[in-house]
Every structure is written in C-alpha cells, then in structure tokens.
C-alpha cells in the first residue's frame, strides 16, 4: 500500500484533471452568475468555515482575483459584532443560529451573488446561511463534495444540505472523508478537497475575467501587493467599492 508523497501527487493530478473536465459546465454557469452580479454593480460574497475558509480567501482578496468580492467568516461575530473571542470554537460551524448574525453583519447589496464553500455541505451554519441567502433572493453558488454530502445526514433542522439550496453546484470530487490514501490500520491520509476546491474557484474567476475582457471591459482584478505599484493599483480599485468590501481579519 503506497502512501508516499508521490502516490498522493498522482492521485491529486488525476483528480484535478477529472474535476476540471466534469465541472466545466458548472464552472461556466457559476461564472455567468458572477458576471451578472458584477455588471449589475454587485459584489461576490464568499463564505466558508473550517478549512473551507481557505477557499473563500481564494475568491475574496487574492492576487489575480476580483476586487468586488467580500469574505464572510464566523469570526465576523467577534470582529464586527462585538462578541467575545470565547464564542469561537470548533462546534460553532454546526450552530445554525449564528448564520443570521453573520449575514446581518455583512455589507450585502441587492445585486450580490454568494459563493458558499463546504465540502460536507451539512453543518448548521452553512445550511442556514444558504437558506437566508435564498430567502433574500440572492443567487447562490455552492462549492461542495457531492459524494461526501450524499453520504451524510444534514445537521440542520430542515434536513436540507448546501447542495439542495444552490442555483449552481460545483463538485470538488473529494471522496467521503476527504483523504485519498488508505492506511493499513483503517482511515486514510492525504486530503484533497482544498486543492480541488481552489482549482474550481480559480477556474470560475478566470472565466469571469475572460468574459469581461472579450466584451471590451477592463476586469477589476487585484495585483499582488508584492509587485511594483501593486498597492496603488489595488487601492484605486477598492475605492470604487468603499464600504462594500472588507479586507480585515
């Protein structure tokens, strides 16, 4: 049983090729949703909890990414809501009651589109936030593992899962349990959902930027702050969305 780094790399390479191909249509659909949002003057609102927060960071505030984007997080309860740090903990993402407060603390506009990331897609805060997003009439793109989600029971009182509420579902292709290299004594190592989810997030952004360019529009894209004039470029673009995007926390 090969659990080497090389074996992991081979599995990841195969899975990324598979996901890139199988999700091409969903990527285009997600990009079209984001394009409608941006052209209407909206902002892309991204949310993920746990490790999925890393994917929200791929969408909001990343070099090469879209400036009109904002990241929501459970820590917003502390950063913007005045709650004590003690409220944060590993069980918080399972609590549906926190989602409405996270939504209310966010600078959400009427034309905003949401991207919610959760590989399992069943935790209470995630499903509740998705429910609120749809209740308020916003388009919703879900980035999840369909296989993992289908093998789980929802932790939300409604029994719904993230994929049940989304207008577009991007499937990151991760297996149940996320890791791909079985261990002799049971279990597995080598999680893949972060890699494939980041791939899909960047594919969507690339499609949006390409469509804007093809239409003769200048894409509002971040430059790295670690290149010459990067800060100046970014600040000028961010000023267009003052009060609507947050880069703290």
């Amino acid at each position: 049983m090969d659990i080497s780094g090389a074996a992991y790399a081979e599995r990841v390479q195969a899975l990324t090729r598979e996901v890139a191909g199988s999700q091409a249509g969903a990527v285009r659909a997600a990009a079209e949703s984001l394009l409608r949002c941006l052209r209407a003057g909206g902002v892309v609102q991204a949310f993920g909890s746990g490790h999925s927060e890393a994917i929200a960071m791929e969408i909001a505030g990343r070099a090469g990414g879209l400036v009109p984007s904002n990241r929501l997080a459970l820590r917003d309860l502390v950063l913007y809501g005045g709650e004590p740090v003690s409220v944060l903990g590993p069980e918080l993402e399972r609590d549906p009651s926190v989602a409405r407060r996270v939504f209310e603390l966010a600078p959400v506009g009427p034309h905003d589109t949401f991207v919610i990331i959760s590989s399992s897609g069943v935790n209470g805060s995630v499903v509740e936030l998705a429910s609120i997003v749809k209740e308020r009439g916003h388009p919703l793109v879900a980035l999840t593992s369909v296989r993992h989600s289908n093998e789980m029971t929802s932790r939300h009182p409604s029994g719904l899962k993230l994929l049940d509420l989304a207008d577009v579902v991007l499937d990151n292709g991760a297996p149940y349990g996320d890791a791909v290299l079985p261990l002799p004594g049971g279990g597995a190592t080598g999680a893949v959902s972060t890699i494939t989810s980041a791939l899909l997030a960047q594919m969507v952004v690339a499609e949006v930027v390409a469509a804007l360019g093809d239409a003769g529009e200048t894409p509002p894209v971040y430059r790295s702050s670690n290149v010459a004039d990067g800060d100046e470029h970014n600040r000028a673009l961010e000023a267009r969305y003052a009060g609507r995007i947050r880069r703290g926390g």
Side-chain angles (χ1 to χ4, degrees):
M1 186 175 296
D2 190 353
I3 55 172
S4 66
Y8 175 72
E10 289 177 6
R11 292 294 300 273
V12 167
Q13 289 166 5
L15 187 56
T16 54
R17 286 193 297 269
E18 177 186 330
V19 167
S22 68
Q23 297 305 296
V27 165
R28 288 192 295 271
E32 288 168 5
S33 181
L34 268 61
L35 273 169
R36 288 191 292 271
C37 161
L38 299 185
R39 285 172 168 157
V43 164
V44 179
Q45 302 282 353
F47 173 81
S49 63
H51 282 90
S52 294
E53 190 175 346
I55 311 306
M57 295 172 71
E58 290 288 321
I59 295 168
R62 183 72 188 263
L66 299 169
V67 174
S69 58
N70 185 58
R71 176 164 54 95
L72 285 66
L74 294 177
R75 71 169 64 86
D76 293 351
L77 298 170
V78 176
L79 292 175
Y80 307 108
E83 296 291 339
V85 175
S86 59
V87 304
L88 302 177
E91 296 298 314
L92 190 62
E93 68 177 342
R94 297 186 179 184
D95 182 358
S97 70
V98 303
R100 191 165 297 275
R101 183 68 173 143
V102 169
F103 184 93
E104 290 171 349
L105 288 168
V108 178
H111 301 295
D112 293 357
T113 286
F114 281 73
V115 181
I116 298 182
I117 308 101
S118 171
S119 203
S120 68
V122 300
N123 281 318
S125 66
V126 169
V127 178
E128 181 67 11
L129 182 60
S131 299
I132 294 166
V133 166
K134 296 312 301 174
E135 170 190 304
R136 300 294 180 92
H138 295 280
L140 172 60
V141 175
L143 209 172
T144 190
S145 165
V146 172
R147 179 177 171 188
H148 188 121
S149 191
N150 283 341
E151 295 193 35
M152 290 286 291
T153 299
S154 174
R155 292 176 173 142
H156 189 269
S158 69
L160 295 173
K161 303 174 184 178
L162 175 59
L163 56 76
D164 297 323
L165 294 157
D167 300 295
V168 179
V169 175
L170 295 165
D171 183 5
N172 66 27
Y176 179 68
D178 203 349
V180 294
L181 300 178
L183 297 173
T189 190
V192 295
S193 64
T194 304
I195 294 173
T196 53
S197 293
L199 170 68
L200 289 170
Q202 293 294 348
M203 287 176 68
V204 171
V205 171
E207 288 285 332
V208 171
V209 171
L212 290 172
D214 290 346
E217 304 170 57
T218 301
V221 171
Y222 275 110
R223 293 178 186 169
S224 170
S225 60
N226 297 309
V227 301
D229 300 324
D231 287 338
E232 292 80 1
H233 170 89
N234 295 340
R235 281 195 290 264
L237 287 176
E238 287 178 337
R240 301 179 188 176
Y241 303 95
R244 302 187 58 208
I245 60 176
R246 302 183 300 213
R247 292 296 179 256

